[in-house]
Amino acid sequence: LRVRTGSRMCAGPPVERNAAPRRAMLRDAAGLALGAALGAGGAPLPSLAAAKGIRASSQGSQVNKDPQSLLRLGLPIDCPAARAVQQDLEELRGNALKSLWSKAVSNAKSARNNLASKRSALLAAVADKNKEAAQPLVESLGVKLDALEAATETAKLDDVLDKQNAAVSALGELEEMMIAKYPFEVPSEYKGLPRLYGRGTVVVTVRRGPDAEEPKFNVDGELQDKIVATLVVDGYNAPITAGNFIELCSKGFYDGMQVQRADGFVVQTGDPRGIEGADESKPVGYVKDGRLRKIPLEVFPQGASAPLYGSTFDEEGFGGAAATLPFQAYGALGMAREEYDADSASSQWFWLLFDSDLTPAGKNLLDGRYSNFGYTVRGAEGLRAVRVGDIIESTKVVSGMDKLAYE
Protein backbone atom coordinates (compact mmCIF):
# COMPACT_ATOMS: atom_id res chain seq x y z
CA LEU A 1 0.00 0.00 0.00
CA ARG A 2 3.04 2.25 0.13
CA VAL A 3 4.72 4.12 -2.65
CA ARG A 4 7.31 2.18 -4.58
CA THR A 5 10.63 4.02 -4.38
CA GLY A 6 13.08 1.45 -5.66
CA SER A 7 13.33 -2.18 -6.53
CA ARG A 8 11.04 -3.10 -3.63
CA MET A 9 8.13 -1.61 -1.78
CA CYS A 10 8.98 0.79 1.04
CA ALA A 11 6.48 -1.06 3.15
CA GLY A 12 3.70 -3.52 2.78
CA PRO A 13 4.32 -7.08 1.66
CA PRO A 14 6.20 -7.67 -1.61
CA VAL A 15 4.27 -9.08 -4.54
CA GLU A 16 3.77 -12.78 -3.97
CA ARG A 17 2.73 -15.43 -6.45
CA ASN A 18 0.81 -17.43 -3.86
CA ALA A 19 -1.28 -15.52 -1.34
CA ALA A 20 -2.52 -18.57 0.56
CA PRO A 21 0.46 -18.90 2.98
CA ARG A 22 0.25 -15.20 3.72
CA ARG A 23 -3.46 -15.44 4.49
CA ALA A 24 -2.78 -18.08 7.09
CA MET A 25 0.06 -16.02 8.54
CA LEU A 26 -2.18 -12.96 8.85
CA ARG A 27 -4.87 -14.87 10.66
CA ASP A 28 -2.29 -16.29 13.04
CA ALA A 29 -0.90 -12.79 13.64
CA ALA A 30 -4.10 -11.60 15.36
CA GLY A 31 -5.79 -10.87 12.05
CA LEU A 32 -3.77 -7.79 11.16
CA ALA A 33 -5.81 -6.15 8.45
CA LEU A 34 -4.72 -6.92 4.94
CA GLY A 35 -1.06 -7.39 5.77
CA ALA A 36 -0.70 -3.64 6.07
CA ALA A 37 2.86 -3.69 7.36
CA LEU A 38 5.65 -6.14 6.89
CA GLY A 39 7.78 -3.23 5.85
CA ALA A 40 10.90 -1.46 6.98
CA GLY A 41 12.15 -3.12 10.12
CA GLY A 42 9.90 -6.13 9.51
CA ALA A 43 7.67 -5.45 12.53
CA PRO A 44 3.89 -5.59 12.05
CA LEU A 45 1.86 -2.58 13.01
CA PRO A 46 -0.01 -2.90 16.31
CA SER A 47 -3.67 -3.81 16.22
CA LEU A 48 -6.12 -1.02 16.84
CA ALA A 49 -8.63 -1.95 19.51
CA ALA A 50 -11.70 0.22 19.22
CA ALA A 51 -11.99 2.77 21.97
CA LYS A 52 -14.87 2.20 24.36
CA GLY A 53 -18.06 3.62 22.93
CA ILE A 54 -16.62 4.01 19.42
CA ARG A 55 -17.50 1.51 16.74
CA ALA A 56 -14.66 0.82 14.32
CA SER A 57 -15.46 1.11 10.62
CA SER A 58 -15.15 -2.60 9.93
CA GLN A 59 -16.09 -3.89 13.35
CA GLY A 60 -18.38 -6.83 13.92
CA SER A 61 -19.85 -9.50 11.71
CA GLN A 62 -22.44 -7.24 10.08
CA VAL A 63 -20.01 -5.18 8.02
CA ASN A 64 -21.61 -2.90 5.44
CA LYS A 65 -19.75 -3.86 2.26
CA ASP A 66 -22.11 -2.11 -0.17
CA PRO A 67 -20.18 0.71 -1.91
CA GLN A 68 -23.33 2.56 -2.93
CA SER A 69 -24.60 2.50 0.64
CA LEU A 70 -21.25 3.71 1.97
CA LEU A 71 -21.31 6.57 -0.53
CA ARG A 72 -24.80 7.60 0.57
CA LEU A 73 -23.78 7.42 4.22
CA GLY A 74 -20.72 9.51 3.39
CA LEU A 75 -22.77 12.47 2.18
CA PRO A 76 -22.52 15.54 4.45
CA ILE A 77 -26.23 15.67 5.28
CA ASP A 78 -28.35 15.36 8.41
CA CYS A 79 -31.81 14.20 7.40
CA PRO A 80 -33.32 11.40 9.53
CA ALA A 81 -36.25 11.12 7.13
CA ALA A 82 -33.98 10.25 4.22
CA ARG A 83 -31.95 7.84 6.32
CA ALA A 84 -35.16 6.06 7.39
CA VAL A 85 -36.16 5.39 3.78
CA GLN A 86 -32.58 4.42 2.95
CA GLN A 87 -32.46 1.90 5.79
CA ASP A 88 -35.71 0.31 4.62
CA LEU A 89 -34.38 -0.06 1.08
CA GLU A 90 -31.02 -1.45 2.12
CA GLU A 91 -32.59 -3.95 4.52
CA LEU A 92 -34.95 -4.98 1.73
CA ARG A 93 -32.04 -5.85 -0.54
CA GLY A 94 -30.43 -7.97 2.17
CA ASN A 95 -33.64 -9.81 2.91
CA ALA A 96 -34.34 -10.43 -0.77
CA LEU A 97 -30.89 -11.93 -1.26
CA LYS A 98 -31.63 -14.29 1.64
CA SER A 99 -35.08 -15.12 0.21
CA LEU A 100 -36.75 -13.66 3.31
CA TRP A 101 -39.62 -12.43 1.22
CA SER A 102 -42.10 -11.60 3.98
CA LYS A 103 -39.50 -9.30 5.53
CA ALA A 104 -38.69 -7.81 2.13
CA VAL A 105 -42.37 -7.00 1.59
CA SER A 106 -42.48 -5.35 5.02
CA ASN A 107 -39.40 -3.30 4.12
CA ALA A 108 -41.04 -2.14 0.89
CA LYS A 109 -44.22 -1.10 2.69
CA SER A 110 -42.20 0.70 5.36
CA ALA A 111 -40.18 2.59 2.75
CA ARG A 112 -43.35 3.70 0.96
CA ASN A 113 -45.01 4.74 4.22
CA ASN A 114 -41.91 6.60 5.38
CA LEU A 115 -41.78 8.51 2.11
CA ALA A 116 -45.43 9.46 2.40
CA SER A 117 -45.29 10.49 6.06
CA LYS A 118 -41.91 12.22 5.85
CA ARG A 119 -42.34 13.90 2.48
CA SER A 120 -42.44 17.40 3.97
CA ALA A 121 -39.29 16.75 6.02
CA LEU A 122 -37.49 15.42 2.96
CA LEU A 123 -38.33 18.45 0.86
CA ALA A 124 -37.51 20.84 3.70
CA ALA A 125 -34.01 19.34 3.90
CA VAL A 126 -33.32 20.04 0.22
CA ALA A 127 -31.13 23.06 -0.50
CA ASP A 128 -33.10 26.06 -1.78
CA LYS A 129 -31.34 26.00 -5.14
CA ASN A 130 -32.51 22.40 -5.69
CA LYS A 131 -36.10 22.52 -4.40
CA GLU A 132 -37.70 22.88 -7.81
CA ALA A 133 -35.86 19.82 -9.15
CA ALA A 134 -36.53 17.86 -5.96
CA GLN A 135 -40.33 17.93 -6.27
CA PRO A 136 -40.58 15.69 -9.37
CA LEU A 137 -37.79 13.49 -8.02
CA VAL A 138 -39.82 12.75 -4.89
CA GLU A 139 -42.81 11.94 -7.07
CA SER A 140 -40.65 9.62 -9.16
CA LEU A 141 -39.30 7.96 -6.02
CA GLY A 142 -42.85 7.26 -4.88
CA VAL A 143 -43.65 5.55 -8.19
CA LYS A 144 -40.48 3.48 -7.92
CA LEU A 145 -41.37 2.40 -4.38
CA ASP A 146 -44.84 1.30 -5.52
CA ALA A 147 -43.23 -0.80 -8.26
CA LEU A 148 -40.75 -2.21 -5.79
CA GLU A 149 -43.47 -3.27 -3.38
CA ALA A 150 -45.33 -5.04 -6.19
CA ALA A 151 -42.13 -6.79 -7.26
CA THR A 152 -41.36 -8.07 -3.75
CA GLU A 153 -44.77 -9.71 -3.61
CA THR A 154 -43.84 -11.78 -6.70
CA ALA A 155 -40.54 -12.88 -5.06
CA LYS A 156 -38.64 -12.61 -8.36
CA LEU A 157 -35.14 -11.73 -7.22
CA ASP A 158 -33.72 -10.11 -10.36
CA ASP A 159 -36.77 -7.90 -10.76
CA VAL A 160 -36.69 -6.91 -7.10
CA LEU A 161 -33.00 -6.04 -7.20
CA ASP A 162 -33.45 -3.95 -10.35
CA LYS A 163 -36.32 -2.00 -8.82
CA GLN A 164 -34.56 -1.64 -5.48
CA ASN A 165 -31.53 -0.22 -7.27
CA ALA A 166 -33.71 2.25 -9.18
CA ALA A 167 -35.39 3.42 -5.97
CA VAL A 168 -32.24 3.72 -3.89
CA SER A 169 -30.45 5.55 -6.73
CA ALA A 170 -33.25 8.10 -6.86
CA LEU A 171 -33.02 8.48 -3.09
CA GLY A 172 -29.28 9.02 -3.33
CA GLU A 173 -29.84 11.74 -5.91
CA LEU A 174 -32.34 13.39 -3.58
CA GLU A 175 -29.92 13.18 -0.67
CA GLU A 176 -27.19 14.89 -2.68
CA MET A 177 -29.63 17.73 -3.41
CA MET A 178 -29.67 18.39 0.35
CA ILE A 179 -26.10 19.73 0.26
CA ALA A 180 -26.46 23.51 0.17
CA LYS A 181 -22.74 24.32 -0.03
CA TYR A 182 -19.41 22.60 0.28
CA PRO A 183 -19.17 21.63 3.97
CA PHE A 184 -15.65 22.83 4.87
CA GLU A 185 -12.66 24.80 3.62
CA VAL A 186 -9.52 23.07 2.44
CA PRO A 187 -6.53 24.49 4.37
CA SER A 188 -4.86 27.38 2.54
CA GLU A 189 -1.46 25.69 2.70
CA TYR A 190 -2.65 23.34 -0.03
CA LYS A 191 -3.53 26.13 -2.43
CA GLY A 192 -2.75 25.19 -6.00
CA LEU A 193 -3.38 21.50 -5.57
CA PRO A 194 -6.41 20.17 -7.44
CA ARG A 195 -9.50 19.54 -5.39
CA LEU A 196 -12.85 18.03 -6.27
CA TYR A 197 -15.85 19.86 -4.81
CA GLY A 198 -18.31 17.00 -5.02
CA ARG A 199 -18.17 13.63 -6.75
CA GLY A 200 -16.98 12.34 -10.08
CA THR A 201 -17.20 9.12 -12.05
CA VAL A 202 -14.31 7.40 -13.81
CA VAL A 203 -14.44 4.28 -15.99
CA VAL A 204 -11.19 2.29 -15.91
CA THR A 205 -10.52 -0.35 -18.56
CA VAL A 206 -7.81 -2.98 -18.02
CA ARG A 207 -6.48 -5.32 -20.71
CA ARG A 208 -4.13 -8.28 -20.52
CA GLY A 209 -0.43 -7.52 -20.57
CA PRO A 210 1.80 -8.83 -23.37
CA ASP A 211 3.35 -11.48 -21.13
CA ALA A 212 0.11 -12.71 -19.55
CA GLU A 213 -0.13 -16.47 -19.11
CA GLU A 214 -3.79 -16.41 -20.15
CA PRO A 215 -5.13 -14.22 -23.00
CA LYS A 216 -8.44 -13.50 -21.28
CA PHE A 217 -9.61 -12.63 -17.78
CA ASN A 218 -11.41 -15.42 -15.96
CA VAL A 219 -14.14 -13.73 -13.91
CA ASP A 220 -16.10 -16.32 -11.97
CA GLY A 221 -15.79 -18.80 -14.84
CA GLU A 222 -16.63 -16.26 -17.55
CA LEU A 223 -13.80 -15.34 -19.94
CA GLN A 224 -13.57 -11.62 -20.68
CA ASP A 225 -11.30 -9.67 -23.02
CA LYS A 226 -11.15 -6.68 -20.68
CA ILE A 227 -12.03 -5.62 -17.16
CA VAL A 228 -14.18 -2.50 -17.04
CA ALA A 229 -14.68 -0.89 -13.62
CA THR A 230 -16.76 2.16 -12.80
CA LEU A 231 -15.43 4.26 -9.93
CA VAL A 232 -17.16 6.99 -7.93
CA VAL A 233 -14.54 9.41 -6.67
CA ASP A 234 -15.59 11.32 -3.54
CA GLY A 235 -14.52 14.91 -3.07
CA TYR A 236 -16.87 15.53 -0.17
CA ASN A 237 -14.61 13.50 2.08
CA ALA A 238 -11.22 13.65 0.34
CA PRO A 239 -11.23 16.68 -1.99
CA ILE A 240 -7.49 16.90 -2.70
CA THR A 241 -7.00 13.16 -3.17
CA ALA A 242 -10.08 12.93 -5.38
CA GLY A 243 -9.13 16.05 -7.32
CA ASN A 244 -5.61 14.76 -7.91
CA PHE A 245 -6.98 11.45 -9.23
CA ILE A 246 -9.62 13.04 -11.48
CA GLU A 247 -7.04 15.41 -12.95
CA LEU A 248 -4.52 12.66 -13.67
CA CYS A 249 -7.21 10.47 -15.24
CA SER A 250 -8.36 13.36 -17.43
CA LYS A 251 -4.78 13.87 -18.62
CA GLY A 252 -4.44 10.20 -19.55
CA PHE A 253 -1.61 9.85 -17.04
CA TYR A 254 -2.45 6.21 -16.23
CA ASP A 255 -3.29 5.15 -19.79
CA GLY A 256 -0.91 2.43 -20.95
CA MET A 257 0.59 1.98 -17.48
CA GLN A 258 1.17 -1.50 -16.06
CA VAL A 259 -0.48 -2.94 -12.99
CA GLN A 260 2.46 -3.06 -10.60
CA ARG A 261 1.02 -5.06 -7.74
CA ALA A 262 -1.72 -7.68 -7.58
CA ASP A 263 -1.33 -9.98 -4.61
CA GLY A 264 -4.86 -10.85 -3.58
CA PHE A 265 -5.08 -7.87 -1.21
CA VAL A 266 -4.64 -4.89 -3.50
CA VAL A 267 -4.35 -4.09 -7.19
CA GLN A 268 -1.96 -1.16 -7.45
CA THR A 269 -0.69 1.07 -10.24
CA GLY A 270 0.48 4.64 -10.79
CA ASP A 271 4.29 4.31 -10.73
CA PRO A 272 5.62 5.76 -14.01
CA ARG A 273 8.77 3.63 -13.61
CA GLY A 274 6.87 0.40 -14.06
CA ILE A 275 7.02 -2.90 -12.19
CA GLU A 276 9.48 -2.82 -9.29
CA GLY A 277 10.67 0.63 -10.39
CA ALA A 278 12.40 -0.88 -13.42
CA ASP A 279 12.91 2.41 -15.30
CA GLU A 280 14.89 4.50 -12.83
CA SER A 281 15.13 7.36 -15.33
CA LYS A 282 11.49 8.18 -14.61
CA PRO A 283 10.05 9.86 -11.50
CA VAL A 284 8.19 8.01 -8.77
CA GLY A 285 5.01 10.02 -9.35
CA TYR A 286 3.45 12.92 -11.24
CA VAL A 287 5.76 15.80 -12.15
CA LYS A 288 4.43 19.31 -12.72
CA ASP A 289 6.61 22.29 -13.59
CA GLY A 290 9.71 20.18 -13.07
CA ARG A 291 8.81 19.07 -9.56
CA LEU A 292 7.27 15.92 -8.14
CA ARG A 293 3.79 16.87 -6.99
CA LYS A 294 2.87 15.40 -3.62
CA ILE A 295 -0.49 15.48 -1.91
CA PRO A 296 -1.22 15.21 1.83
CA LEU A 297 -2.71 12.35 3.76
CA GLU A 298 -6.42 13.17 3.93
CA VAL A 299 -8.53 11.16 6.40
CA PHE A 300 -11.96 12.05 7.80
CA PRO A 301 -13.18 10.70 11.17
CA GLN A 302 -16.93 10.35 11.56
CA GLY A 303 -18.29 13.21 13.64
CA ALA A 304 -15.50 15.63 12.70
CA SER A 305 -16.27 18.80 10.77
CA ALA A 306 -13.44 18.37 8.26
CA PRO A 307 -10.73 15.88 7.28
CA LEU A 308 -7.41 15.60 9.06
CA TYR A 309 -4.46 16.63 6.92
CA GLY A 310 -0.98 15.22 7.27
CA SER A 311 -1.85 13.16 10.37
CA THR A 312 -3.33 9.75 11.01
CA PHE A 313 -6.27 9.00 13.29
CA ASP A 314 -3.84 7.65 15.88
CA GLU A 315 -1.74 10.79 15.89
CA GLU A 316 -4.78 13.01 16.43
CA GLY A 317 -6.45 10.87 19.10
CA PHE A 318 -9.01 9.15 16.86
CA GLY A 319 -7.51 5.67 17.08
CA GLY A 320 -10.24 3.05 16.51
CA ALA A 321 -12.74 5.65 15.30
CA ALA A 322 -14.90 5.10 12.23
CA ALA A 323 -14.03 6.85 8.98
CA THR A 324 -16.57 8.66 6.83
CA LEU A 325 -15.31 6.57 3.92
CA PRO A 326 -14.21 3.25 5.44
CA PHE A 327 -12.05 0.68 3.69
CA GLN A 328 -14.69 -2.02 3.88
CA ALA A 329 -15.98 -2.52 0.34
CA TYR A 330 -14.42 -4.65 -2.36
CA GLY A 331 -12.75 -2.24 -4.76
CA ALA A 332 -12.37 0.67 -2.31
CA LEU A 333 -9.94 3.27 -3.68
CA GLY A 334 -6.85 4.27 -1.71
CA MET A 335 -3.72 6.37 -2.22
CA ALA A 336 -0.35 4.72 -1.73
CA ARG A 337 2.34 6.59 0.20
CA GLU A 338 5.72 6.11 1.82
CA GLU A 339 5.74 4.40 5.19
CA TYR A 340 7.12 7.24 7.31
CA ASP A 341 5.91 10.27 5.33
CA ALA A 342 2.17 10.87 5.54
CA ASP A 343 2.30 13.55 2.83
CA SER A 344 4.23 11.57 0.21
CA ALA A 345 1.38 10.41 -2.07
CA SER A 346 1.57 11.51 -5.69
CA SER A 347 0.10 9.25 -8.36
CA GLN A 348 0.22 5.69 -7.05
CA TRP A 349 -3.14 4.30 -5.99
CA PHE A 350 -4.76 0.96 -5.25
CA TRP A 351 -7.97 -0.98 -5.33
CA LEU A 352 -8.48 -2.76 -2.01
CA LEU A 353 -9.72 -6.32 -2.43
CA PHE A 354 -11.58 -6.24 0.88
CA ASP A 355 -11.89 -9.51 2.75
CA SER A 356 -13.81 -9.27 6.03
CA ASP A 357 -12.20 -12.55 7.11
CA LEU A 358 -8.89 -10.68 7.24
CA THR A 359 -10.34 -7.54 8.82
CA PRO A 360 -11.76 -8.69 12.17
CA ALA A 361 -13.47 -6.51 14.74
CA GLY A 362 -11.49 -3.45 15.74
CA LYS A 363 -8.40 -4.29 13.68
CA ASN A 364 -8.84 -2.30 10.47
CA LEU A 365 -5.36 -0.84 9.94
CA LEU A 366 -6.26 1.17 6.84
CA ASP A 367 -8.95 3.56 8.07
CA GLY A 368 -7.30 6.73 9.25
CA ARG A 369 -3.88 5.74 7.89
CA TYR A 370 -4.50 5.87 4.16
CA SER A 371 -6.67 8.23 2.13
CA ASN A 372 -9.83 6.53 0.87
CA PHE A 373 -11.22 8.57 -2.02
CA GLY A 374 -14.10 6.47 -3.29
CA TYR A 375 -15.40 3.08 -4.33
CA THR A 376 -15.83 0.80 -7.32
CA VAL A 377 -19.57 0.70 -7.95
CA ARG A 378 -19.59 -1.54 -11.02
CA GLY A 379 -17.22 -4.25 -12.24
CA ALA A 380 -15.39 -4.83 -8.95
CA GLU A 381 -15.73 -8.60 -9.28
CA GLY A 382 -13.30 -8.49 -12.20
CA LEU A 383 -10.46 -7.07 -10.10
CA ARG A 384 -9.58 -10.47 -8.65
CA ALA A 385 -8.59 -11.60 -12.15
CA VAL A 386 -6.11 -8.75 -12.70
CA ARG A 387 -2.43 -9.67 -12.59
CA VAL A 388 0.89 -7.85 -12.41
CA GLY A 389 1.82 -6.66 -15.89
CA ASP A 390 -1.75 -6.14 -17.09
CA ILE A 391 -2.31 -2.77 -18.72
CA ILE A 392 -4.50 0.17 -17.75
CA GLU A 393 -5.92 0.74 -21.21
CA SER A 394 -7.84 3.88 -20.34
CA THR A 395 -9.24 6.01 -17.51
CA LYS A 396 -12.19 8.03 -18.77
CA VAL A 397 -13.70 10.78 -16.62
CA VAL A 398 -17.43 10.49 -17.19
CA SER A 399 -18.44 13.22 -14.75
CA GLY A 400 -16.88 15.59 -12.25
CA MET A 401 -14.61 17.79 -14.37
CA ASP A 402 -16.95 20.73 -13.70
CA LYS A 403 -16.27 20.28 -9.96
CA LEU A 404 -12.48 20.34 -10.28
CA ALA A 405 -10.74 23.47 -8.96
CA TYR A 406 -7.23 24.67 -8.10
CA GLU A 407 -7.91 27.64 -5.84
Side-chain angles (χ1 to χ4, degrees), residues 315-332:
E315 292 167 338
E316 297 297 329
F318 289 95
T324 57
L325 288 185
F327 280 104
Q328 61 188 54
Y330 200 91

Side-chain angles (χ1 to χ4, degrees), residues 332-404:
L333 312 176
M335 270 325 267
R337 62 176 179 85
E338 293 180 14
E339 182 179 7
Y340 298 113
D341 185 354
D343 296 341
S344 57
S346 179
S347 61
Q348 297 182 41
W349 64 281
F350 60 88
W351 276 293
L352 174 66
L353 309 186
F354 178 78
D355 185 342
S356 58
D357 188 38
L358 297 177
T359 311
K363 292 185 172 65
N364 185 336
L365 295 181
L366 299 182
D367 288 346
R369 294 190 178 192
Y370 293 89
S371 301
N372 181 338
F373 60 96
Y375 298 101
T376 304
V377 297
R378 188 175 299 113
E381 66 281 356
L383 297 175
R384 65 175 63 93
V386 175
R387 300 290 181 263
V388 171
D390 289 340
I391 306 298
I392 305 296
E393 181 173 281
S394 65
T395 55
K396 296 181 179 179
V397 180
V398 177
S399 66
M401 287 300 295
D402 57 326
K403 301 169 186 175
L404 190 64

Side-chain angles (χ1 to χ4, degrees), residues 72 75 86 137 167-177:
R72 288 188 291 271
L75 288 171
Q86 179 179 332
L137 183 57
V168 82
S169 296
L171 178 63
E173 185 179 349
L174 180 65
E175 289 175 331
E176 197 156 1
M177 286 183 176

Side-chain angles (χ1 to χ4, degrees), residues 55-59 63-64 302 313 320-328 364 367:
R55 181 177 176 83
S57 301
S58 297
Q59 183 175 353
V63 177
N64 183 357
Q302 282 188 13
F313 280 11
T324 57
L325 288 185
F327 280 104
Q328 61 188 54
N364 185 336
D367 288 346

Side-chain angles (χ1 to χ4, degrees), residues 232-293:
V232 172
V233 180
D234 191 322
Y236 288 123
N237 293 285
I240 294 177
T241 312
N244 178 71
F245 184 74
I246 286 282
E247 183 201 45
L248 294 182
C249 288
S250 72
K251 291 177 179 291
F253 179 83
Y254 298 110
D255 296 358
M257 193 172 287
Q258 294 171 310
V259 170
Q260 293 135 10
R261 180 180 178 187
D263 56 10
F265 294 94
V266 299
V267 172
Q268 183 169 322
T269 188
D271 187 345
R273 301 168 308 158
I275 299 170
E276 294 295 333
D279 188 349
E280 295 185 359
S281 67
K282 293 184 178 180
V284 71
Y286 174 65
V287 172
K288 182 176 182 180
D289 300 328
R291 297 181 60 184
L292 179 68
R293 185 173 78 186

